Amino acid sequence: MDYANLISGGHPQALPEDRPLMNSRVLGMVNFGPVFQKPVLEEGSPFLSLRMTSADEKGFVEQWTAGPAQASVSGDLVYAHDGEYLFCAAEIPASERCRNLTRETYLAAFELMDELGYPRLFRMWNYIPRINEDNADGLEIYRDFCAGRSEAFELYGRRRHLPMPAATGIGAQGGNIAFFFLSCRSGRVTFLENPRQMPAYTYPRQYGPRSPSFARATCVQHDALGVLNLYISGTASIIGHETVHRSDLMRQCDVTLENISLLIGRDNLIRHGIETPADLTLRDVDFIKVYVRHAEDIPAVRRRCREAFAPHANIQFLNADICRSDLLVEIEGIITVPLRADGTQDGAGLKPRWLVHEETSDQ
Ligand SMILES: C=C(O[C@@H]1C=C(C(=O)O)C=C[C@H]1O)C(=O)O
């Protein structure tokens, strides 16, 4: 069955005829490697390269596949879409203060979603070099970034309701600030909070002039496709709004894992009106990225995560600074739940895949 036709039929915003049809099922690719390169179209697909490893590690490539896609560039935005899903990557050019350019680039991204007809923003990743350092005004770069992003949500929200998606906001080892995101056209989208954590968008003023704009997770349900996905935001050792176990790596790991368990647990899903055929646990999480502030802590965090997650889960460990300087570890992941008893699915759906270079494969 032609997935693009199956789900895009009848949408009022037909795509312009003159865009090249790349016939690719690759919606976007992100390299987690040693070199930053702003997003470009490579072999017809959006490609962003983040500096997330040291020079002697090659890292991995995250590839998102969907139905046959069309790709294009608009200003700083590089994107592809298949009739149901939009993938878009952008660089925020370097500046002494990132607030204004963050706001403008985010607003351009929101416009693009609207223009192309993919208004349901469900997952964003933001990679921020020097995240805990100060900008030219002595404001932490992460807080400066959060201010611009929050203004973009506020400004755009005056025109059209745009709930905050699941997100990651994490350090990078170099290059410029960059983000990529996924939005969809018809999926049923629910935004989740964690009963033990204050919603990030209500964090008090002590964490910066404007709160971070994200939900703890997004559930995207496609009944026609027979699949539900849960996108878990970057999660850390925060209870309420406070960092707990400031200098205790293993306890931070445990609180982070507990936070994820509570977030995806039955009670919390029911609270958000989500039903799954079976209860979800850490064993169901896949495509797990574990960000570790100090490289020397990676072996211990790896051991703990290998115990907690399923043996077959894809996990990558990245050495990165985290949005608060007292956080030592952060974890994100994705759960895919087949909704039919026989596990079948119609259409291509949206799938991540990791192409892992041998040198850093997690053995
Ligand atoms: C760890 C936290 O926030 C981090 C920052 C985010 C952002 O700013 O987009 C999203 C999730 C995490 O990567 C937290 O506040 O709990």
Side-chain angles (χ1 to χ4, degrees):
M1 189 177 302
D2 185 327
Y3 175 66
N5 285 341
L6 174 73
I7 52 189
S8 68
H11 193 275
Q13 265 162 319
L15 301 164
E17 292 294 332
D18 58 354
R19 291 235 175 90
L21 180 64
M22 299 316 299
N23 241 342
S24 165
R25 288 182 183 271
V26 178
L27 212 55
M29 282 191 291
V30 182
N31 183 37
F32 291 78
V35 179
F36 175 82
Q37 188 201 307
K38 71 176 196 172
V40 289
L41 281 184
E42 193 157 294
E43 292 176 17
S45 300
F47 178 81
L48 163 67
S49 188
L50 297 167
R51 186 160 156 200
M52 294 298 290
T53 66
S54 58
D56 55 349
E57 307 165 282
K58 283 194 178 158
F60 64 103
V61 175
E62 178 167 291
Q63 190 184 64
W64 288 90
T65 58
Q70 299 183 308
S72 197
V73 179
S74 165
D76 290 326
L77 309 175
V78 181
Y79 62 93
H81 53 113
D82 76 334
E84 175 55 21
Y85 296 104
L86 168 68
F87 171 100
C88 175
E91 172 197 41
I92 299 177
S95 64
E96 294 202 315
R97 301 161 185 84
C98 66
R99 180 179 191 145
N100 292 349
L101 285 173
T102 299
R103 183 185 59 241
E104 296 314 309
T105 314
Y106 254 76
L107 281 170
F110 296 161
E111 296 282 351
L112 181 82
M113 284 168 14
D114 244 12
E115 222 172 85
L116 296 173
Y118 300 88
R120 301 178 185 185
L121 175 61
F122 59 88
R123 185 64 169 97
M124 292 204 74
W125 287 263
N126 305 279
Y127 290 88
I128 307 167
R130 302 173 50 232
I131 187 167
N132 302 129
E133 291 177 30
D134 286 352
N135 74 2
D137 302 323
L139 178 68
E140 189 189 42
I141 291 175
Y142 174 64
R143 297 177 180 203
D144 192 17
F145 166 84
C146 282
R149 174 175 59 173
S150 157
E151 286 170 353
F153 274 97
E154 186 183 301
L155 284 168
Y156 202 71
R158 289 185 196 157
R159 214 172 83 198
R160 187 175 70 67
H161 180 58
L162 181 61
M164 288 167 205
T168 294
I170 197 83
Q173 295 181 12
N176 289 334
I177 301 178
F179 64 74
F180 62 100
F181 69 83
L182 292 160
S183 68
C184 68
R185 182 169 284 178
S186 68
R188 191 140 47 91
V189 173
T190 312
F191 302 96
L192 283 80
E193 288 301 322
N194 190 316
R196 190 159 85 147
Q197 296 188 295
M198 177 183 277
Y201 49 83
T202 65
Y203 280 168
R205 194 54 220 260
Q206 73 199 72
Y207 301 103
R210 285 203 172 226
S211 314
S213 316
F214 70 94
R216 299 292 174 188
T218 313
C219 172
V220 184
Q221 192 163 341
H222 274 104
D223 294 321
L225 292 176
V227 69
L228 174 155
N229 280 295
L230 205 53
Y231 298 90
I232 303 165
S233 292
T235 304
S237 182
I238 294 175
I239 296 183
H241 60 76
E242 265 160 329
T243 300
V244 294
H245 307 308
R246 280 206 157 66
S247 41
D248 189 331
L249 175 72
M250 292 328 284
R251 290 174 87 183
Q252 284 207 10
C253 264
D254 288 343
V255 171
T256 303
L257 292 167
E258 284 161 23
N259 279 343
I260 297 177
S261 294
L262 280 169
L263 177 70
I264 63 177
R266 183 185 181 74
D267 289 350
N268 198 44
L269 294 189
I270 288 175
R271 189 174 302 132
H272 289 88
I274 298 163
E275 272 180 64
T276 52
D279 289 354
L280 301 179
T281 71
L282 292 179
R283 298 271 173 196
D284 297 299
V285 187
D286 202 355
F287 296 103
I288 301 155
K289 294 190 193 101
V290 182
Y291 304 98
V292 184
R293 180 179 291 278
H294 303 297
E296 64 272 21
D297 288 343
I298 291 179
V301 174
R302 175 182 282 134
R303 278 194 296 277
R304 183 69 191 91
C305 287
R306 282 290 176 206
E307 282 163 21
F309 295 110
H312 54 78
N314 291 286
I315 312 187
Q316 285 290 329
F317 297 86
L318 293 158
N319 175 211
D321 288 336
I322 298 168
C323 65
R324 291 185 188 177
S325 35
D326 52 13
L327 290 172
L328 303 173
V329 61
E330 179 175 312
I331 303 177
E332 61 170 67
I334 302 172
I335 299 181
T336 302
V337 183
L339 294 174
R340 297 187 188 140
D342 62 2
T344 56
Q345 182 182 332
D346 290 334
L350 174 69
K351 294 198 180 83
R353 207 173 97 172
W354 283 352
L355 313 168
V356 181
H357 298 288
E358 266 172 32
E359 288 87 334
T360 51
S361 67
D362 176 44
Q363 295 308 316

